[in-house]
């Protein structure tokens, strides 16, 4: 009698579900990292060990030399139990509990270089000092790799060709509490976009990480592969991470809308956005942190190369978004803004944190409300004085380092580590063509 195993369901090993709870953080490489513990012993105060030098691991996967954080020292990755979710429904994979954590010292006090704590603190300061609360939503673009079908932008055929992956993915995201909103085929070849419903800032950034990891794993379950890298090839369209944000009072009323002002943008929101525009060049190394990020940030590319606020302009760094007034809908609560300069190389907590921190600086400094550009850009004449963003990662890092104001937002060791990690990345890729660099990042992201 043949006693070998068969693929019959009765002989398959059952998958053991919910064995682990993964406590997650995110570093300067924007990769989700952490440690798993047994779900049966997880509590609301659970933590796992962590190491300061882990912050010095760049996208290429090694700890860089000469960091402020060396071989000594220990930390804890303290679970935020309110963020716990279950990832379920990925074919062939066990259900997994997933929880974000804040990096703390071994006595439980906040660690100076935790990006999630940085975002939390910024949100709290804006609320306590100015009575401003926020909603935020990340939009992710990504590209399916190794596909040979002929694509057409925004087409129904592209939409259907993603089945059954797309429906499975949407359901897994819903069940994990990510609240996906729209799925659409995008402009670039084999490119798709996923959007999420607005949430408070830390939750929105948490969900951005969950979306990336879940999307990657669902595609792998179907033997398909995606990449969130900003550019897959120097001659092809790019993928961005667009962040929508709205300003509200603590009672939920809009603070952004004023029907009598340019673009219907209130003075408060105009001052807030003026801070983002003012500090954008110094922050480019954070929101566009890869060497290939700058292939996307070019004029006439439906991206942005200048720091300006534009009315419904997709080449603006900060876009005043349209409102839906069909059937008499009220525009006041809808009016919000979209930050368009970022990509998936950026840590979502750090990315959203510096956007809000720059807006806070605008309020603290009493800046004039930002000018709002209407219509197309005229860089030869009317808009020639708009501030340029750095054109390479090396230039962006130099501008960041030279900004005493921006560096003052972080602990010195945080800024020093960031600069060393990213400059090491530049050196590791020096001498490689842009096409080679695109291939390397596509494998990482």
């Amino acid at each position: 009698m043949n006693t070998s195993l068969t693929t019959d369901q009765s002989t398959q090993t059952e998958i053991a579900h919910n064995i682990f709870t993964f406590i997650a953080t995110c570093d300067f490489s924007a990769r989700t990292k952490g440690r798993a513990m047994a779900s049966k012993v997880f509590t609301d105060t659970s933590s796992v060990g962590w190491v300061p030098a882990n912050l010095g691991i760049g996208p290429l996967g090694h700890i860089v030399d000469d960091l402020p954080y060396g071989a000594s020292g220990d930390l804890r990755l303290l679970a935020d139990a309110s963020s716990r979710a279950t990832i379920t429904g990925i074919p062939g994979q066990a259900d997994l509990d997933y929880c974000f954590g804040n990096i703390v010292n071994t006595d439980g006090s906040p660690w100076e270089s935790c990006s999630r704590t940085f975002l939390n603190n910024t949100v709290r300061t804006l609320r306590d000092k100015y009575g401003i609360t926020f909603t935020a939503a990340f939009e992710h673009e990504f590209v399916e790799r190794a596909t040979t079908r002929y694509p057409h932008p925004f087409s129904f055929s592209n939409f259907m060709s993603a089945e059954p992956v797309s429906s499975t993915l949407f359901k897994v995201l819903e069940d994990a509490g990510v609240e996906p909103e729209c799925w659409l085929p995008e402009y670039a070849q084999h490119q798709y976009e996923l959007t999420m419903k607005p949430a408070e800032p830390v939750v929105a950034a948490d969900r951005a990480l969950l979306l990336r990891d879940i999307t990657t794993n669902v595609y792998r379950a179907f033997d398909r592969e995606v990449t969130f890298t900003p550019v897959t090839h120097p001659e092809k369209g790019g993928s961005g991470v667009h962040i929508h944000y709205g300003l509200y009072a603590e009672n939920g009323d809009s603070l952004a809308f004023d029907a009598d002002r340019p673009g219907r943008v209130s003075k408060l929101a105009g001052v807030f956005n003026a801070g983002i525009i003012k500090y954008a060049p110094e922050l480019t190394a954070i929101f566009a942190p890869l060497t290939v990020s700058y292939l996307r940030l070019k004029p006439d590319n439906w991206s942005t190369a200048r720091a300006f606020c534009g009315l419904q302009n997709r080449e603006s760094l900060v876009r005043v978004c349209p409102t839906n007034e069909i059937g008499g809908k009220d525009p006041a609560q809808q009016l919000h803004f979209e930050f368009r300069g970022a990509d998936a190389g950026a840590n979502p907590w750090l990315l959203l944190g510096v956007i809000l921190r720059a807006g806070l600086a605008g309020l603290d400094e009493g800046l004039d409300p930002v000018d709002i550009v209407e219509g197309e850009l005229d860089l030869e004449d009317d808009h020639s004085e708009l501030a340029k963003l750095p054109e390479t990662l090396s230039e962006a890092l130099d501008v960041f380092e030279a900004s005493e104001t921006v560096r003052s937002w972080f602990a010195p060791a945080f800024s020093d580590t960031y600069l060393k990690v990213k400059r090491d990345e530049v050196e590791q890729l020096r001498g490689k063509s842009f096409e080679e660099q695109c291939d390397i990042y596509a494998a990482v992201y």
Side-chain angles (χ1 to χ4, degrees):
M1 181 176 67
N2 184 357
T3 59
S4 62
L5 292 176
T6 72
T7 57
D8 184 84
Q9 182 66 37
S10 63
T11 63
Q12 289 185 19
T13 302
E14 290 292 329
I15 296 176
H17 293 286
N18 299 105
I19 296 298
F20 296 116
T21 295
F22 191 90
I23 303 178
T25 185
C26 181
D27 60 14
F28 291 154
S29 69
R31 301 297 300 274
T32 306
K33 297 179 179 177
R35 295 182 178 180
M37 65 183 300
S39 293
K40 64 183 179 182
V41 299
F42 178 88
T43 71
D44 288 357
T45 59
S46 289
S47 66
V48 293
W50 203 243
V51 178
N54 287 349
L55 189 67
I57 302 174
L60 304 182
H62 61 271
I63 298 177
V64 306
D65 295 331
D66 194 28
L67 293 176
Y69 303 115
S72 62
D74 281 283
L75 302 165
R76 302 296 294 180
L77 185 52
L78 178 62
D80 176 358
S82 68
S83 70
R84 194 179 189 191
T86 298
I87 300 174
T88 183
I90 300 179
Q93 294 188 21
D95 292 352
L96 172 72
D97 287 342
Y98 189 111
C99 181
F100 291 101
N102 297 311
I103 305 175
V104 299
N105 297 307
T106 54
D107 64 359
S109 60
W111 186 49
E112 62 181 4
S113 293
C114 175
S115 298
R116 195 170 189 265
T117 299
F118 172 72
L119 174 56
N120 257 314
N121 289 344
T122 303
V123 171
R124 186 179 303 112
T125 299
L126 279 157
R127 183 193 65 218
D128 293 347
K129 193 171 185 178
Y130 292 103
I132 302 174
T133 65
F134 291 86
T135 61
F138 286 67
E139 293 179 347
H140 283 83
E141 296 170 332
F142 60 91
V143 171
E144 184 176 358
R145 305 182 74 191
T147 184
T148 57
R149 70 178 187 279
Y150 183 79
H152 191 79
F154 311 115
S155 66
F156 183 67
S157 62
N158 275 15
F159 172 85
M160 291 299 295
S161 69
E163 288 292 349
V165 184
S166 54
S167 293
T168 302
L169 172 58
F170 215 81
K171 182 66 164 58
V172 174
L173 291 170
E174 285 183 330
D175 289 346
V178 174
E179 293 195 298
E181 189 171 50
C182 288
W183 162 273
L184 61 148
E186 255 289 353
Y187 179 74
Q189 288 190 353
H190 312 300
Q191 184 184 51
Y192 294 90
E193 180 175 310
L194 268 168
T195 71
M196 294 177 281
K197 293 180 180 178
E200 69 92 6
V202 176
V203 172
D206 290 350
R207 290 175 176 176
L209 288 167
L210 269 173
L211 182 144
R212 298 177 195 182
D213 292 324
I214 289 173
T215 300
T216 298
N217 280 289
V218 169
Y219 268 84
R220 284 176 180 167
F222 286 87
D223 293 321
R224 296 164 75 167
E225 185 178 358
V226 296
T227 179
F228 287 83
T229 188
V231 183
T232 57
H233 187 279
E235 304 303 321
K236 293 182 179 179
S239 294
V241 173
H242 302 154
I243 302 176
H244 291 252
Y245 61 95
L247 286 71
Y248 301 92
E250 293 187 67
N251 66 1
D253 290 343
S254 173
L255 295 175
F257 184 83
D258 186 336
D260 297 325
R261 291 186 58 83
R264 302 192 295 184
V265 175
S266 71
K267 181 179 179 180
L268 176 72
V271 174
F272 184 89
N273 287 332
I276 297 173
I277 298 304
K278 176 180 177 178
Y279 289 106
E282 289 98 314
L283 296 174
T284 307
I286 292 177
F287 65 74
L290 309 180
T291 62
V292 299
S293 297
Y294 300 83
L295 298 174
R296 192 178 73 88
L297 300 181
K298 294 180 178 181
D300 303 318
N301 200 33
W302 279 37
S303 182
T304 183
R306 299 291 182 106
F308 73 99
C309 182
L311 181 63
Q312 301 176 25
N313 186 326
R314 288 175 175 79
E315 293 201 336
S316 56
L317 183 65
V318 174
R319 181 171 79 112
V320 182
C321 295
T323 55
N324 177 8
E325 298 171 44
I326 297 172
K329 292 180 180 178
D330 183 9
Q333 288 295 107
Q334 299 179 49
L335 188 78
H336 68 280
F337 310 96
E338 178 188 30
F339 184 89
R340 295 182 54 81
D343 62 53
N347 173 323
W349 299 322
L350 179 57
L351 170 58
L352 186 50
V354 296
I355 292 171
L356 299 186
R357 188 61 186 79
L360 172 61
L363 297 171
D364 286 345
E365 296 170 20
L367 299 180
D368 291 332
V370 70
D371 291 332
I372 297 175
V373 174
E374 299 193 33
E376 299 296 318
L377 281 185
D378 179 7
L379 294 178
E380 299 298 322
D381 190 7
D382 291 346
H383 308 129
S384 60
E385 299 303 315
L386 293 175
K388 292 183 179 179
L389 299 179
E391 296 181 350
T392 66
L393 179 56
S394 292
E395 180 188 346
L397 292 167
D398 290 343
V399 175
F400 171 77
E401 185 175 27
S403 176
E404 293 184 8
T405 297
V406 170
R407 284 191 292 106
S408 73
W409 302 346
F410 309 104
F414 181 102
S415 299
D416 192 18
T417 301
Y418 190 83
L419 288 164
K420 283 184 165 59
V421 166
K422 302 312 291 186
R423 283 175 171 151
D424 176 85
E425 189 177 328
V426 171
E427 286 304 312
Q428 293 292 323
L429 296 176
R430 193 178 300 280
K432 297 186 182 297
S433 68
F434 276 127
E435 187 170 353
E436 290 173 317
Q437 293 177 45
C438 287
D439 287 342
I440 290 169
Y441 283 124
V444 173
Y445 294 100

